[in-house]
Each structure stands twice: as structure tokens, then as C-alpha cells.
Amino acid sequence: SQTIHQWPATLVQPVGSPLSLECTVEGTSNPNLYWYRQAAGRGLQLLFYSVGIGQISSEVPQNLSASRPQDRQFILSSKKLLLSDSGFYLCAWSVLIGGSTDTQYFGPGTRLTVL
Amino acid sequence: AQKITQTQPGMFVQEKEAVTLDCTYDTSDQSYGLFWYKQPSSGEMIFLIYQGSYDEQNATEGRYSLNFQKARKSANLVISASQLGDSAMYFCAMREMNTGFQKLVFGTGTRLLVSP
């Protein structure tokens, strides 16, 4: 069965510090991968998605970036965090099989607080 | 642009009763998909149920069913026989087609509280 891991689970960082959040998927090949952010009491906002190694698309301009160095690894980074980067970051994966539905399955999330 | 609206910020239900969570959507696409996710206090988003725009029957998954009314553009989630563990945030989402990439657009969610 497929599993998705995210770490760290929680993170407190000062403004201006760098960020690296990691997401890995097990039990599937060539998944689509996604990074979402959820502000307190809000819905999910898609930040990045990737359909393959090295292929990253950005949905929202910001000081965040994403990379996919391996098939099942997705990394969210920032060189200098802003207060507005605080939130709950969720990674998700999906696999489209034979034209059927492309359900996204989410990881446990990382709660980031920027002080 | 596609949009999902969840008008109930909070809902209360007693254990063992049924509850309906509302979701309306707006799209000009002929082909689309609708999803419901549950988010407990731990934060993880748990997939519950899916309905395709061409599906003729309402989707069901155990105690969850989706009341799909295409003409009204609504996709309400019905939870039967509520349990205490159903207390959580519930999000409706729509799959948006974007040059072959299937993007999910989420509503703002409904917080469900199940009381004993």
C-alpha cells in the first residue's frame, strides 16, 4: 500500500531564516506530487505541483520554491522566511490510472510558525 | 474560474443522527469531479468520497453518501449514523482541468461537532 511521509511535523523558525520541508511517497511510481498551504481556519491553497522529476509548476508567486530530486521526493524550500509563511503545509500525491479519477492523498502535514 | 462554496461554517449533530454538509460549485467545464475530505484536529486530510460529473448514481462509501444534483450544481455530503469520531473539519473540492493537469480547488470547510 502507498504511504506518504512529511517531516518535520512542527517547526518554529525566525523571520529571515531558510526553510526545507520534505515529503516522500512509498509504494507507487511516478506520482503527481503537490504542496499545499493552509492558513489558520482556511481552506487549502495549492502552491506547487510536479508531474515528474525536475518538473515543477508554481501556482502562487511567493518566496517559496519546490524541487523534486527523485521520483518520490518533493521538497519545499525558502531562502528567507516571512511572517506570512506561517501555516500548515500539506504534501499530497496522486496517480492517474487509465483515465480514472485522480484522487489526491495527503500526508500528515508540517505546522510552521515563523516568529 | 471554478469555485466551491461551503456556506455552513459549523454544524452540530447528535450521535447516531444523520447530517448533511452543503457544497455548491461553479464551473463551465462539462467534465469535472467532486471530492470530500475530512480533516480531524491532527491536521491530516482524509479522502472520503468522489463523484464524477458523468456518474449517474450518487456515490456512497460506507456511512458517507454524496447527494449530487447536477442541475443545481450541488454536491452535499450526507453522513449517516454520526459517531463522535466524525467531529472534524470537512472540505469539499472540485477537480479543475488545466491543460491536462488535474488541479483541486477547495472550499473553506465546515466544522462538524458530534455530541453524545
Side-chain angles (χ1 to χ4, degrees), chain A residues 32-34 36 38 41-46 49-51 59 88 90 96 99-109 111, chain B residues 33 35 37 39-47 50 89 91 95-96 98-109 111:
Chain A
N32 291 335
L33 296 173
Y34 314 79
Y36 288 87
Q38 184 179 29
R42 306 287 295 276
L44 272 68
Q45 179 188 38
L46 179 64
Y49 64 90
S50 171
V51 299
E59 285 291 299
F88 190 55
L90 286 154
L96 188 61
S100 64
T101 181
D102 188 22
T103 300
Q104 293 182 24
Y105 298 94
F106 287 80
R111 197 165 301 279
Chain B
F35 301 77
Y37 286 85
Q39 187 178 40
S41 56
S42 61
E44 183 178 1
M45 295 285 284
I46 302 168
F47 167 69
Y50 166 80
M89 283 289 290
F91 291 93
R95 182 184 63 202
E96 176 182 294
N98 182 12
T99 61
F101 170 71
Q102 298 183 342
K103 172 183 172 180
L104 276 183
V105 176
F106 284 83
T108 53
R111 184 171 298 280

Side-chain angles (χ1 to χ4, degrees), chain B residues 33 37 54 56 58 60 64 84 91 93 97 99 102-103 111:
Chain B
Y37 286 85
Y54 292 118
E56 295 185 352
N58 288 341
T60 60
Y64 304 108
L84 295 178
F91 291 93
M97 299 301 296
T99 61
Q102 298 183 342
K103 172 183 172 180
R111 184 171 298 280

Side-chain angles (χ1 to χ4, degrees), chain A residues 7-46:
Chain A
W7 62 90
T10 59
L11 192 60
V12 180
Q13 291 285 93
V15 169
S17 64
L19 173 74
S20 180
L21 303 182
E22 190 165 343
C23 169
T24 59
V25 181
E26 296 176 358
T28 187
S29 296
N30 197 30
N32 291 335
L33 296 173
Y34 314 79
W35 277 112
Y36 288 87
R37 177 169 58 200
Q38 184 179 29
R42 306 287 295 276
L44 272 68
Q45 179 188 38
L46 179 64

Side-chain angles (χ1 to χ4, degrees), chain B residues 13-14 16-21 36-38 48 61-67 76-83 85-90 110 112 114:
Chain B
V13 66
Q14 258 192 326
K16 298 181 184 178
E17 292 186 349
V19 63
T20 297
L21 306 183
W36 277 92
Y37 286 85
K38 171 185 178 182
L48 295 178
E61 287 287 348
R63 294 186 298 111
Y64 304 108
S65 60
L66 203 152
N67 184 2
N76 299 338
L77 177 70
V78 180
I79 305 176
S80 63
S82 296
Q83 301 173 356
D86 293 334
S87 293
M89 283 289 290
Y90 289 80
T110 296
L112 175 66
V114 181

